[in-house]
Amino acid sequence: MAIIGFKNIIMHYSFKLSALILAFILWFPSTGTSQISNPDTELNTIESGMILAQTLEGSHFNEFWNYQFYFNNGMKVHITFSAANFGSLKDPVTGVRISVFNHDDELYQVSREYPLSRLVQDEEKSLFKLRDDRDVYFEGKLPERHRVVVKTSKDGVEYDIDLQLNNIQKGFKLGNGMYQIGGEQVGIVTHIPYAEASGHVTINGNRERVNGTAYMDHTWQNQTTTRLMHSGYRVIVHNSSNNWDLLYVMLPNESSNNETIGHRVYNSDGKLHTASVENIEVVASQSAFGSKIPRIIDMKLSDESAIRISRSEDDERFAVLGELSWIARRAARTFLGGEVIDYRGEATLMETGIRPKHGEYNFFFVD
């Protein structure tokens, strides 16, 4: 009876759970950690069709398109599109997760989901639309043009986001774009390392015109085991189209010597540089929103260089299961093996002999 009762709880909340789990499962490739490896550090171009879904087959898969926008008026917008199959837990779905920081001095966070069968993909238009009768999509062949539109509502809050990208820098993948953890592969490519962004962000009729920069990476895998990863780290530095720095790292839960998968790619006066991140070390931790998380992290790279990331300002905390009741949240944590807590804010990237670079951090931790 206990097992049946638990299953009923999970199925009762599965519709609401699945949209939230989408962001969670990204960090959990399956099986053991016997092998952790990065692809070679040669930067290769991305085929135009690669912006569309790379999975969508089999009993399990998950895929994410992570957009981050930083505007001159201090507003920050994070939009994550997703597609996932949870096997017996839930029918396949697509989803969108939105975070808007500093819109009229407020923070807004929302998740929505749709049946996978309603997904529209058009390779010629580079269109990925979550539902045929909803304005929730991205489209436009890179690097020529791109647009992100999200019009939705939830819990009495209406969102109308329409952002146009220009001056888009060419995307890249390291080697073949595939990273290895145990017996599984994780695909990671960066479609938009840097772009100029403009448009509007409207919430409950309050429209703000925005201008700034944009970034987008794309991650996928074919498994959904949720007990492997310890944490994940992004740092985005956007100074200009010829001067930017990107860091994307994931730390497996049982990694020996804190070995990681991930990379650093940066543009210095128009010249690209790249290296894999070999391992990380937490130098100091400090509280953020009531939780203790790393404040200073040292990272060793494959080119024998080292960098230090220092968290300087915390903007928001997002609990992936935070929208659930405590009963559903407890059931979900038991089923998933934990909960991912998402932190965002400002950080400084430091390297010996180079002036510190100030940018944005995006850290994830399993609790």
Side-chain angles (χ1 to χ4, degrees):
M1 290 296 293
I3 295 175
I4 295 174
F6 173 74
K7 182 178 180 181
N8 288 339
I9 291 173
I10 288 294
M11 295 307 295
H12 177 73
Y13 289 101
S14 62
F15 180 86
K16 195 169 184 179
L17 270 172
S18 53
L20 299 171
I21 295 170
L22 291 175
F24 182 79
I25 291 178
L26 165 62
W27 302 102
F28 302 96
S30 70
T31 69
T33 58
S34 57
Q35 180 183 0
I36 299 172
S37 63
N38 294 291
D40 65 63
T41 55
E42 180 181 3
L43 283 180
N44 293 313
T45 58
I46 303 175
E47 302 82 1
S48 61
M50 206 170 194
I51 196 170
L52 299 181
Q54 301 299 298
T55 53
L56 303 191
E57 295 182 359
S59 60
H60 294 81
F61 56 79
N62 55 94
E63 193 155 354
F64 302 85
W65 295 257
N66 183 284
Y67 288 85
Q68 303 191 21
F69 298 91
Y70 307 108
F71 297 117
N72 299 334
N73 64 356
M75 189 188 306
K76 303 172 187 180
V77 176
H78 296 255
I79 300 174
T80 302
F81 294 90
S82 55
N85 187 347
F86 306 105
S88 60
L89 175 64
K90 181 75 173 78
D91 290 337
V93 294
T94 60
V96 65
R97 183 178 173 212
I98 309 163
S99 171
V100 180
F101 173 78
N102 204 24
H103 183 282
D104 197 23
D105 298 323
E106 297 291 338
L107 169 65
Y108 297 88
Q109 298 171 331
V110 65
S111 298
R112 297 305 308 265
E113 72 163 24
Y114 306 96
L116 183 65
S117 59
R118 303 298 294 269
L119 173 66
V120 176
Q121 294 195 97
D122 187 323
E123 185 170 356
E124 184 177 348
K125 297 179 180 179
S126 294
L127 171 68
F128 186 88
K129 190 174 185 179
L130 299 195
R131 183 165 167 163
D132 48 3
D133 59 348
R134 297 285 191 274
D135 285 333
V136 182
Y137 64 87
F138 61 79
E139 60 93 17
K141 186 176 180 180
L142 295 169
E144 288 81 11
R145 54 177 294 272
H146 204 65
R147 184 184 179 200
V148 179
V149 175
V150 177
K151 295 181 181 180
T152 189
S153 62
K154 189 174 183 179
D155 299 330
V157 180
E158 295 186 358
Y159 300 83
D160 179 354
I161 301 172
D162 193 333
L163 301 169
Q164 187 78 39
L165 277 61
N166 298 287
N167 191 21
I168 305 167
Q169 304 302 294
K170 291 183 178 180
F172 60 80
K173 59 183 177 181
L174 268 68
N176 63 359
M178 303 306 294
Y179 298 71
Q180 187 84 19
I181 301 180
E184 296 299 323
Q185 290 187 322
V186 182
I188 303 174
V189 300
T190 301
H191 290 288
I192 305 172
Y194 176 98
E196 295 171 0
S198 62
H200 69 258
V201 178
T202 305
I203 299 179
N204 285 337
N206 182 5
R207 174 168 294 195
E208 293 197 32
R209 303 295 303 184
V210 291
N211 290 276
T213 65
Y215 161 91
M216 190 267 273
D217 63 48
H218 178 189
T219 305
W220 66 90
Q221 64 164 124
N222 290 303
Q223 292 293 334
T224 55
T225 300
T226 56
R227 302 176 186 273
L228 181 60
M229 300 304 294
H230 173 274
S231 48
Y233 308 84
R234 285 187 184 90
V235 175
I236 313 298
V237 176
H238 277 173
N239 290 326
S240 70
S241 60
N242 287 325
N243 287 279
W244 43 260
D245 204 324
L246 310 176
L247 180 74
Y248 188 4
V249 181
M250 288 185 254
L251 176 65
N253 191 38
E254 297 181 359
S255 171
S256 61
N257 194 33
N258 285 339
E259 290 180 315
T260 63
I261 62 168
H263 57 259
R264 179 198 184 192
V265 178
Y266 67 97
N267 187 332
S268 178
D269 295 325
K271 185 177 180 180
L272 292 178
H273 306 264
T274 181
S276 297
V277 179
E278 301 295 321
N279 74 331
I280 71 173
E281 178 184 355
V282 175
V283 177
S285 297
Q286 189 179 49
S287 179
F289 304 101
S291 300
K292 197 172 184 179
I293 66 171
R295 186 179 69 84
I296 299 175
I297 304 172
D298 284 347
M299 300 188 181
K300 294 181 180 179
L301 280 64
S302 59
D303 60 4
E304 299 185 355
S305 66
I307 57 176
R308 171 168 287 189
I309 305 301
S310 178
R311 217 181 80 235
S312 56
E313 189 76 25
D314 304 312
D315 292 339
E316 63 168 308
R317 175 185 186 273
F318 194 114
V320 173
L321 304 179
E323 296 183 18
L324 302 179
S325 69
W326 73 269
I327 296 176
R329 186 175 181 179
R330 182 176 180 180
R333 284 172 58 91
T334 300
F335 182 85
L336 297 169
E339 177 181 7
V340 165
I341 309 297
D342 189 339
Y343 296 84
R344 298 187 179 111
E346 299 177 16
T348 301
L349 188 156
M350 293 170 281
E351 189 172 8
T352 302
I354 299 176
R355 181 176 296 180
K357 300 178 181 180
H358 302 286
E360 305 289 330
Y361 83 81
N362 180 195
F363 293 172
F364 305 79
F365 302 93
V366 182
D367 181 15

